[in-house]
Amino acid sequence: MLFSSWGSAVQAPWPDVAEVSDHVGVRHLVVTRHALVRQVLADPVTYPPDNALDAVTPMPVTALRVLAGHRFRLPPTLANNSGASHPEIRAIVAAALRPERVAAQRPWLTALVRDRVARLGARLDTGAPVDLYADLAADLPLLVLARLVELPDAPVGAVKEFARAALELFWAPLDTDRQLALAAEVGRFHRVLRDFAATGGGLAGELRAAGHSPDVVVGALFFLLVAGQETTSQFLTLLLHRLAGEPAVRAGLRTGEVAVADVVEEGLRLEPPIVTWRRVAAADSTLGGTAVPAGSSLVLWLGRAGRDPAVVESPDEFRPGQRGSRRHLSFGAGAHRCVGDVLARMEAAVVVAEAAPLLDGVTVVRPPWCPDNLTFRMPDAFVVRGTGS
Ligand code: HEM
């Protein structure tokens, strides 16, 4: 279940803390209950995030050499930084993503999505297939991010490839050949980031001005380019797919009886793009009666925490606005809680409001397929076909 924890396993019975060994024999404690996941996230002293970005398949020396050849270094900056520099780095990133800056992007994004939806609608009317991942969702978050944060001048396709390679390299079960190929891809783009970090303005300039080393600037950009766009494009795709199978919710959206924001929240709860997130135990402790020895890897099952009957009325049903719907932990919690939540919610709200009507009367030709991964869903496509006129 570790590498496909969004599948049927999410509805199966589980102990509150389950011991699971991974593909290389490493033992993880999977935390399955909302209250316990929250307890871990709220206690960064006992459960720091130092292992959050560790490669789940240990890198062989050959892959490490490829990365070293590109001068790849990733010091703790954001999600895996339990050190004293975290609050300041986080504050600089959060300032770039503050609610009024995000809100200012809404009209631009709405116009872009509306235009795309009109063209895709016309294609569906001819009976042609449309891939709502590639043709609608894939690049939107990156385009918005580039308007909020100065980024290296790289083609959208190159950034997407790098980001997906990074998610696979660090979170997927892999063989050595694949690790080498991914290390080359990630290393190449890291070099682009290194050049930009030395001279770039905006966030990069602010981090430099605050006295952070070039490695830290690269680390922050690296994380933002992955976390700040790939997660959301995955979420948009999964949410549209879910909505395709929820005609009553779409009808409610049409009449205004169902609020867009409630649909987004229920989507985050039931279709989170990040299904698990890790912490490491810094000391011996007990979690819900289970002994947690120091050094244990804790896999926090965010996807399941959102379906905990202790917090949600109808855990497995997509019911916008139901009791407990907003209490999901899909953005984490505590000191490292996602700083892009307002942005992700805005993007999803625009896409739901503009694109949900596209789903009326379509046939799903190809649902999203998600490769094995500890943490990220990474849907590859979502193809629908109209009935033709
Ligand atoms: C639906 C989309 C997204 C989801 C589900 C998501 C989820 C998460 C999760 C689970 C964490 C770890 C939280 C923790 O350790 O408690 C996180 C951290 C983070 N996210 Fe997001 N995220 C999304 C979008 C974004 C966006 C759009 C941005 C920025 C543009 C962003 C930037 C970050 C950053 C910088 C952190 C690290 C925060 C820190 O360590 O202080 N995320 N996110």
Side-chain angles (χ1 to χ4, degrees):
M1 64 56 69
L2 267 187
F3 296 108
S4 56
S5 68
W6 56 85
S8 52
V10 79
Q11 280 167 291
W14 284 91
D16 294 357
V17 179
E19 188 177 327
V20 181
S21 289
D22 69 18
H23 61 308
V24 291
V26 173
R27 173 181 162 273
H28 303 271
L29 293 176
V30 180
V31 186
T32 68
R33 298 303 301 259
H34 185 280
L36 296 180
V37 170
R38 227 196 140 75
Q39 182 184 331
V40 171
L41 290 169
D43 182 356
V45 174
T46 314
Y47 308 111
D50 303 23
N51 63 342
L53 311 186
D54 286 357
V56 72
T57 307
M59 297 233 198
V61 175
T62 42
L64 291 173
R65 273 205 207 105
V66 171
L67 290 172
H70 287 286
R71 294 200 295 132
F72 181 92
R73 283 189 295 273
L74 215 50
T77 54
L78 287 157
N80 60 344
N81 185 0
S82 56
S85 62
H86 173 255
E88 185 181 276
I89 298 172
R90 180 179 165 93
I92 293 173
V93 174
L97 303 172
R98 59 184 189 273
E100 63 275 22
R101 297 195 83 224
V102 169
Q105 296 306 322
R106 195 177 185 125
W108 177 85
L109 181 64
T110 302
L112 175 65
V113 174
R114 198 166 283 171
D115 181 59
R116 282 188 186 182
V117 165
R119 280 186 289 115
L120 295 177
R123 249 165 71 193
L124 286 172
D125 285 345
T126 68
V130 161
D131 183 346
L132 292 173
Y133 169 67
D135 300 334
L136 178 64
D139 62 347
L140 289 178
L142 180 57
L143 297 176
V144 180
L145 187 64
R147 291 167 63 89
L148 287 166
V149 177
E150 215 173 298
L151 296 174
D153 189 17
V156 168
V159 178
K160 296 295 289 182
E161 264 176 46
F162 144 74
R164 290 177 74 87
L167 298 188
E168 197 182 335
L169 181 62
F170 291 102
W171 283 278
L174 298 168
D175 64 29
T176 304
D177 285 348
R178 187 68 185 151
Q179 280 176 307
L180 284 173
L182 294 168
E185 173 83 38
V186 170
R188 252 195 314 276
F189 200 82
H190 190 266
R191 206 175 263 254
V192 174
L193 287 182
R194 181 164 294 284
D195 292 344
F196 177 77
T199 54
L203 186 68
E206 282 169 43
L207 287 166
R208 281 199 313 275
H212 295 289
S213 71
D215 281 352
V216 166
V217 182
V218 176
L221 289 170
F222 184 98
F223 188 74
L224 253 194
L225 271 178
V226 176
Q229 58 87 21
E230 194 54 40
T231 47
T232 317
S233 61
Q234 292 177 22
F235 175 54
L236 299 177
T237 308
L238 297 167
L239 180 53
L240 287 172
H241 175 244
R242 180 78 192 215
L243 282 178
E246 302 283 353
V249 175
R250 296 203 312 277
L253 281 168
R254 258 195 316 275
T255 59
E257 280 160 272
V258 171
V260 169
D262 288 342
V263 170
V264 171
E265 239 34 65
E266 195 68 338
L268 284 162
R269 184 180 75 78
L270 280 170
E271 302 290 346
I274 297 184
V275 273
T276 71
W277 201 248
R278 280 173 292 172
R279 291 290 194 263
V280 60
D284 290 347
S285 67
T286 306
L287 202 54
T290 302
V292 179
S296 299
S297 159
L298 293 170
V299 173
L300 310 178
W301 196 348
L302 306 179
R304 188 171 163 101
R307 294 170 183 249
D308 194 323
V311 293
V312 197
E313 204 164 16
S314 305
D316 298 318
E317 286 171 34
F318 197 103
R319 284 209 212 158
Q322 69 166 307
R323 187 181 59 75
S325 175
R326 301 184 74 88
R327 288 184 61 197
H328 60 78
L329 295 169
S330 302
F331 288 119
H336 289 270
R337 189 178 186 284
C338 180
V339 288
D341 62 335
V342 174
L343 175 58
R345 284 184 165 116
M346 184 279 279
E347 293 171 345
V350 168
V351 168
V352 168
E354 300 297 326
L358 270 187
L359 299 168
D360 294 334
V362 298
T363 306
V364 174
V365 178
R366 170 104 149 61
W369 173 80
C370 300
D372 280 5
N373 196 286
L374 176 66
T375 289
F376 296 91
R377 292 287 302 270
M378 299 183 73
D380 63 335
F382 172 34
V383 184
V384 295
R385 190 189 287 281
T387 44
S389 43

